[in-house]
Amino acid sequence: MLDAVEQVANETGKTFTQVALNWILRQPGVTGPILGARTLEHLQDNLGAAGWALSDEQVARLNEASAPTLPYPYEFVFKVQRP
């Protein structure tokens, strides 16, 4: 996941935090991420996640990189139901 975030950060000129927060905001059911800013610099970095958008291709790459691996037997069941 970190490699995918780094790649997107390099493409967009944004920080890892900004990429991650922007991606989180595009996830279904997320109405607002919880910011963990402890300093003014952290808050300013977090706020840099707003006002721009990841491309659909970048979101797809981040989604793929973060997809959980299903444990047995769920991986088998999932493959049987959706080839």
Side-chain angles (χ1 to χ4, degrees):
M1 181 67 191
L2 287 176
D3 290 339
V5 171
E6 179 179 26
Q7 185 179 43
V8 172
N10 290 335
E11 291 170 8
T12 59
K14 303 294 183 181
T15 66
F16 280 38
T17 303
Q18 292 167 346
V19 169
L21 289 171
N22 194 286
W23 173 71
I24 288 170
L25 285 169
R26 300 210 34 196
Q27 300 307 301
V30 175
T31 57
I34 297 173
L35 304 179
R38 294 180 187 243
T39 66
L40 181 57
E41 290 79 21
H42 289 163
L43 178 60
Q44 290 171 334
D45 186 40
N46 288 344
L47 294 176
W52 62 280
L54 294 166
S55 71
D56 291 339
E57 188 270 333
Q58 289 168 330
V59 170
R61 279 190 287 155
L62 293 170
N63 286 343
E64 183 179 333
S66 67
T69 302
L70 297 174
Y72 179 84
Y74 303 104
E75 180 180 15
F76 172 74
V77 171
F78 183 74
K79 286 181 182 179
V80 169
Q81 291 178 353
R82 297 181 187 178

